[in-house]
Amino acid sequence: MRSTLLLAAAVLGTAAAVAQPAFTNGSAVLSHSASSGGCMAVVDMDGDGLDDIVQLEDSRNVFVLYQNADHTFTTFDYGTVSNAGQWGWTIADIDNNGHKDIVSGGSYDGTHYLRITSRGVAQLTDLNGPDIFTQCMSIADMNNDGRLDVFACHDDGPPNIWFTNAGGEPINNNAYINWATTPPSDMSGNYGSTFSDFDRDGDIDLHISHCRQGVNDPNDPRRWDRLFVNDGNNQYADLAATYGLQNREQVWTSDFGDYDNDGDLDMFHTTHSTTLQLFENDGTGNFTDVTASSGLSDYQGFFLQGLFRDLDNDGFLDIITASEDLYFRGNGDGTFTEVTGLFPAAKNMHSYAFGDLNGDGFEDVYASYGDGYIDADGNFPDRLWLNTPNGNHWLRVNLTGVQSNLDAVGAMVTIDGPWGTMIREVHAGESYGVVNSSVLHFGLGANTVIPTLTITWPSGQVDTYTDLGVDQTISAVEGVCISPNVGISLSGPAVVCTGGSGLTLDAAMPGDFTYTWNTSATTSSITVNTGGTYSVIVDDGTGCTGQTSVFIAQDPDETPTVSA
């Protein structure tokens, strides 16, 4: 593993040395202003390949800001899901109809299912099940039948709630997992939850972070994290101690991610009893605490969120936390360094979600500025922080299941190259009430070719593709095809001057393709006279599409003269 880190650092070192994340407040483009609490989401709600924003205003009312091809937004108000504040939610296409649905819950107010059938059209029902104090919720195909099931943490447990999918309707099936602890406890303190095939054995597992406030004895099971491991026959047993993940701190959230590019999923924890923590996977699913050498051991506080993401596209995962918003840049050698001043606001982010909201291949941040746990601050609306491209390359992978669930939740993508092996996994519900884009994101630094990309679907289907280009969003359909390798060529430098003759952007590909630009043009090439981000979707007619974008500067301060 150490040699992999050194090789990756050598290959990506130049780009990593100059890459400095920078975010600007892009909230003016939002079609609806909201003040959210803890639940946040950036996800493609209608399957058009564009990430949308889902707001839970005042922790009660759902608005979806659908992203348009030109990166503006159109708002639909889906109404109030509950008169009580919602502590947890999760979002995915439960009925496989092409539109994602929302499940949420609060403090003993029931479990609410907003089933969306088209933009602006939905039905709200309450699911049948025990009334719980809902914390984090997550979705995955637990029994591998091609349909997504719903899990909800119960603060005061037992029981946590398990809803099995029956024809698009989640049905209470609490007996599916034995939640009992040894030694016995009241099984309370269930907070963050994440589904992951952490051991890469081809079936989905469930991790639950435990934080029972006021319980100071680490020998009390209410403080023990739990890892329900699938035996391959969809039978689950808590084997957290076996795999080194029975963390006995007050762990609030946990996230799986490959921070060292060795092809396995490591883990990051936020806690309320000790520092931030990092656990390294040895490749077999066994974990070791490497916090002391990671650069994270000096950070302790009241963290509500914590997630891995490569925000500077240098090829190494970074970390963001909230409600103390800290950004840690992954250095590529197993350590992290805090970078300050990235989100200049008078208040710390309370929560956030990730996605690409302007089509430039860099992960943006949609942030709330609430208080407490889920309280909104009406005087401090949510903000959209747009990430600034820095020259590093990237790849985004959008998956569509066929035998597997349509959203491909639980699918894994690996890319092999000079950097080692990077791995990403599709999730639906992470950290604490967060739903992030299901489009898998890879930063690539200076690399311009992906030698091998492998998709492992929940069904067991494995698809492999080679020699892919970078700086594009590809769409892969399970067992069928991968999208065209799209590129945009320019007739000159990527600048336009006021009063000039314009710049031609050409996405033409050999063969019978259709083209849709974010300007609404349908030709293979366009001429532009103003700066901005221009994107094009190329369709090969078989259901596979490719998308890429380019940023054009207008009248830059220091550029060569561009003739009219």
Side-chain angles (χ1 to χ4, degrees), residues 311-313 355-356 360-364 387-390 392 394 441:
L311 292 178
D312 54 8
N313 280 357
D356 184 0
D360 62 3
F362 281 68
E363 294 277 85
D364 305 308
N387 200 341
T388 304
N390 57 19
N392 284 338
W394 52 273
H441 177 86

Side-chain angles (χ1 to χ4, degrees), residues 233-418:
N233 296 308
N234 302 317
Q235 304 295 316
Y236 292 81
D238 183 4
L239 301 178
T242 302
Y243 288 93
L245 287 181
Q246 193 188 74
N247 194 336
R248 298 188 179 189
E249 296 292 345
Q250 299 278 29
V251 179
W252 191 261
T253 69
S254 304
D255 189 33
F256 289 99
D258 182 13
Y259 77 89
D260 48 6
N261 291 349
D262 64 351
D264 57 45
L265 293 167
D266 311 297
M267 177 163 274
F268 169 73
H269 297 289
T270 65
T271 81
H272 290 175
S273 61
T274 187
T275 67
L276 301 173
Q277 294 182 311
L278 185 69
F279 282 69
E280 182 182 32
N281 190 332
D282 68 358
T284 68
N286 292 289
F287 290 80
T288 301
D289 186 347
V290 294
T291 304
S293 61
S294 70
L296 300 174
S297 60
D298 292 334
Y299 297 89
Q300 186 170 356
F302 185 72
F303 299 105
L304 291 182
Q305 306 292 0
L307 287 167
F308 287 115
R309 277 301 182 281
D310 185 357
L311 292 178
D312 54 8
N313 280 357
D314 68 348
F316 300 105
L317 290 179
D318 311 308
I319 293 171
I320 283 189
T321 67
S323 55
E324 297 184 33
D325 61 12
L326 301 177
Y327 175 91
F328 299 96
R329 184 176 177 276
N331 297 317
D333 60 359
T335 67
F336 293 83
T337 300
E338 183 185 3
V339 179
T340 61
L342 293 186
F343 306 102
K347 190 173 185 178
N348 277 340
M349 291 189 297
H350 187 68
S351 188
Y352 55 77
F354 297 118
D356 184 0
L357 292 164
N358 59 0
D360 62 3
F362 281 68
E363 294 277 85
D364 305 308
V365 178
Y366 184 68
S368 73
Y369 294 86
D371 301 297
Y373 294 97
I374 65 165
D375 295 333
D377 183 346
N379 296 315
F380 211 117
D382 302 347
R383 287 190 179 181
L384 170 58
W385 294 103
L386 294 174
N387 200 341
T388 304
N390 57 19
N392 284 338
H393 298 294
W394 52 273
L395 178 75
R396 288 169 61 80
V397 183
N398 193 16
L399 302 178
T400 301
V402 177
Q403 298 179 61
S404 305
N405 64 88
L406 187 65
D407 280 351
V409 175
M412 285 186 171
V413 175
T414 59
I415 59 171
D416 293 284

